[in-house]
Amino acid sequence: MSDGSAGRRARGGGGAARRAERTAVSIETARYISRNIPNYEVLTPEALEIIETNAETLLAEIGVNFTDNPAALQVWRDAGADVQGERVRIPRGLARTLCATAPGTFTQHARNPARNVEIGGRNLVLAPVYGPPFVRDLAGGRRYATIADFRNFVRLGYMSKWLHHSGGTVCEPTDVAVNKRHLDMLLAHMTLSDKPFMGSVTEPSRAADSVEMCEILFGVDFMREHTVMTSLINVNSPMTFDGVMMGALEIYARAGQACILSPFIVGGAMAPTTVAGTLTQVLAEVLAGVAYSQLIRPGAPMIFGAFVTSIDMNSGAPTFGTPEAALITYGAGQLARRLGLPYRSSGAFCGSKLPDAQAAYETANSLNMGLLSGVNFMLHACGWLEGGLVASFEKFVMDADQLGALHHLARGVDMSENGQAMDAIAEVGPGGHYLGCAHTQANFKDAFWRSDLLDYKPFETWEDQGARDTQVLAAARVAKMLGDYQQPPLDEGIHQALIDFVARKKEAEPDAFG
Amino acid sequence: MSDGSAGRRARGGGGAARRAERTAVSIETARYISRNIPNYEVLTPEALEIIETNAETLLAEIGVNFTDNPAALQVWRDAGADVQGERVRIPRGLARTLCATAPGTFTQHARNPARNVEIGGRNLVLAPVYGPPFVRDLAGGRRYATIADFRNFVRLGYMSKWLHHSGGTVCEPTDVAVNKRHLDMLLAHMTLSDKPFMGSVTEPSRAADSVEMCEILFGVDFMREHTVMTSLINVNSPMTFDGVMMGALEIYARAGQACILSPFIVGGAMAPTTVAGTLTQVLAEVLAGVAYSQLIRPGAPMIFGAFVTSIDMNSGAPTFGTPEAALITYGAGQLARRLGLPYRSSGAFCGSKLPDAQAAYETANSLNMGLLSGVNFMLHACGWLEGGLVASFEKFVMDADQLGALHHLARGVDMSENGQAMDAIAEVGPGGHYLGCAHTQANFKDAFWRSDLLDYKPFETWEDQGARDTQVLAAARVAKMLGDYQQPPLDEGIHQALIDFVARKKEAEPDAFG
């Protein structure tokens, strides 16, 4: 895999960029999913009411902490909450009322308008893995992630048909200073892809940098009226909102940019061991966090997040693709819809160290529940390995391929005359076969989802070709995709302005590590 | 893996059997699943009505073929059908009316009453892979299956906690004559396991042998009143019922034994490429087949079957775990419930040649849809590989482990006071953690499903222990389970009578192969 040198190439003048524009391959990206299938709901109306009442009780009687953030405490005091120290107790009904100004659906704009995504309603937008400090590939094994890896993941995301979103920290570029890597990451998303992306949240100042870079990319006027970033704000569960994350939230909300307000739950550690108890806490946390965003700016786009895993009570390790996480994911979707907010959950979650059968069982369990639970924004939809410690190149393309199946499942059942196929059944009749009939000829191209990766060959052919397992097939696909990659065109002036901004910011302060 | 020599050991006298009884380990088997979660339904009431009306149109206007079976044609004629040649056209409503005498739920008895299963309603009974001529394991690779392999699969099934049923042809013992292998297979299920099992369907005479062996095992009187076998009757889709399969069905129905009436559909070949068209044909086939069983014996227990895969239009290979198959599986469940019949579909389906990530993605997709679609009897729930050509030892235990997750998911959400966990949330409070709290201590043992196979260890530990992937872990588990296996006790007289029956039958005719 080659180092990402898009920035440097362009810096040499307009020639490279113009060449890129002339030769750019048109990458096919599927439209975000619009479900034509029902949501799967595990909670009865009575259960939902109990959980909602209990969440209000938690907010009113136990309260939540807003730490290292005196201004937030004042905002809450002014809104009518009972604030003692850093503890904020929110009267029954207040948080839900405040949440009502957050939109049920919003558009996140991409620099290529064909890649805009509509987040909310019956839609599902898919974004890649977020956060791993390590990467793994078949040739190089497991190692610390670098900015070169980061750029390659952005390229793979751009090339992945079923991925609608470029994501954010697809891996941590550990070879770049902590206080500067957000600049390189954003530059990569902005220049190596034309899909929508996420902003930095690790410091309020980095959120501000993200907004500034978007002003360069999209223009200040456009930014004022449009949402161009969706960023990830974690709650320190249980029920703690720290100053850094809330500082980033405040900047994004004021700029009209979207945030996912996401409790981060390892069940049994950050929440009770039970499904109903976890859902109650998740709802209380989302209510408090989204309400706060609306106090900062009514109408700021917010997503009801729920990152949920179980814990292995023997080793303390988080576990993925488990039935308890599925029940919580289904239930949280119901709570989000009753609150009128877009919903983020699920992903290509797994605990496995390798992109093997364990990884795939756990991932498929998670992806299926994500589709059926009504998730609107699925972060980590591909590439996640080893409990999120590792971004895997092979698993990225393996998962991204499976996302195609979600698109086809979401189509639901075509009940048109062609779908009913009565003429075909009559034509073929008892004992016949459908391969040659007119209806099959007319429909076969789009009839079935077909993997671009998995092996459907007869045993003998497969064996002759090296008896390759999925990981080996995926490694070949990664190499092919990166080889075929061509940078999407970008206005040369904007490109240069982004590069200059990053350089200026980097020069302004010394490197910080760790 | 050692050859299965249970029969020979016991033949030496009562000592071995008594020893087995004394030392038998009590194998923990989970009760069949009783769903406390809703079924997932993709078809609207209007769509269901269209499909049902179309299916009746097919039966009345196109009809079905009953081949090589003049007696069946007469039965249909007497029932009011229009019979021309082998084509049977069934007047609108007749088949559905006839189906009404089939029970909605029935008990299949096991020789150990603790292993009885209730098939129908909200239950899900899990049975292993059926039919592969090949086996595969990590040490020996892919090879023709033998009776020794067969016995080992029965042992693994007996030892698998989440498997409720011993199945039928867990692999084809190709080293035993075609006309005699059913005897060895039944003997293995009856003596090496005490879980319920399936009878032979490859010739009417073999179905009769199955009934006779059950009369020895359960007693003639018991057999007269109880269902002790559930056997698999495939329809030659489209819409053809051949004399051999129907002959077996007739024997089982007359003996009050259960059958799965199962269209065998590779979409695009044996049915139209569309979901609605396939569902229409499946429904028509099940209506005709179950109606016929009720003409043979009203009240005979029957299961609405649907074996559905897609076809890869490039290679012609069947594909598994696909979204189209999922939609058909969900829809067929709705049709089965409206018909008031237990429902069989889904399984650990995959097309992969190895128990790798492809196998696990495809399998997890299938298992999840099986649970949510309301399947009552899931054949092929573990061990299926390479489109059903191969029974894999490693995949058997990998899948069987995943079946535990289905049990936990089916529990649904506990809304009791303990489930709501309000005291725990109040006790821990903002910023705390739940690991040590009283509620966690009281609940952790049963709170989360935990795999008995997958790796949850930290990376360093896992690496120190050999960096094993799932297949390697599974191979170790297979060896351990077969090493720990102890034969369940069986009355010595019955055991000897079964052995004598098999020997007598085998002597009565020459071996036939192929």
Side-chain angles (χ1 to χ4, degrees), chain A residues 53-102:
Chain A
T53 303
N54 285 350
E56 296 281 1
T57 301
L58 287 186
L59 292 176
E61 297 178 12
I62 311 294
V64 298
N65 283 356
F66 276 72
T67 59
D68 304 318
N69 198 349
L73 299 174
Q74 190 56 47
V75 166
W76 274 118
R77 217 173 267 122
D78 295 346
D82 168 24
V83 180
Q84 301 191 9
E86 295 189 320
R87 183 70 59 95
V88 178
R89 291 186 176 79
I90 306 168
R92 269 173 205 288
L94 174 59
R96 188 168 282 266
T97 303
L98 289 169
C99 287
T101 52

Side-chain angles (χ1 to χ4, degrees), chain B residues 2 66 85 90 111 128 339 341 366-367:
Chain B
S2 70
F66 275 72
I90 306 170
R111 71 172 169 93
L339 196 49
L341 290 178
S366 294
L367 293 179

Side-chain angles (χ1 to χ4, degrees), chain A residues 344-363:
Chain A
R344 173 259 160 149
S345 196
S346 194
F349 295 145
C350 65
S352 188
K353 321 295 180 294
L354 297 170
D356 60 358
Q358 173 175 349
Y361 282 125
E362 294 172 331
T363 293

Side-chain angles (χ1 to χ4, degrees), chain A residues 218-266:
Chain A
F218 290 94
V220 175
D221 291 346
F222 188 88
M223 269 289 281
R224 231 192 308 272
E225 304 294 330
H226 298 92
T227 297
V228 301
M229 282 181 286
T230 297
S231 304
L232 179 63
I233 303 294
N234 278 324
V235 181
N236 277 3
S237 300
M239 297 186 287
T240 303
F241 297 82
D242 73 57
V244 170
M245 278 283 168
M246 287 303 106
L249 171 71
E250 290 157 16
I251 285 175
Y252 286 126
R254 283 195 191 103
Q257 299 306 303
C259 286
I260 306 162
L261 198 293
S262 206
F264 183 95
I265 305 276
V266 178

Side-chain angles (χ1 to χ4, degrees), chain A residues 38 40 274 312 361 399 419 450, chain B residues 38 40 274 312 361 399 419 450 455:
Chain A
Y40 185 64
T274 61
D312 171 26
Y361 282 125
D399 295 337
R450 185 180 195 276
Chain B
Y40 184 66
T274 62
D312 172 25
Y361 281 124
D399 295 338
R450 186 181 195 278
D455 185 278

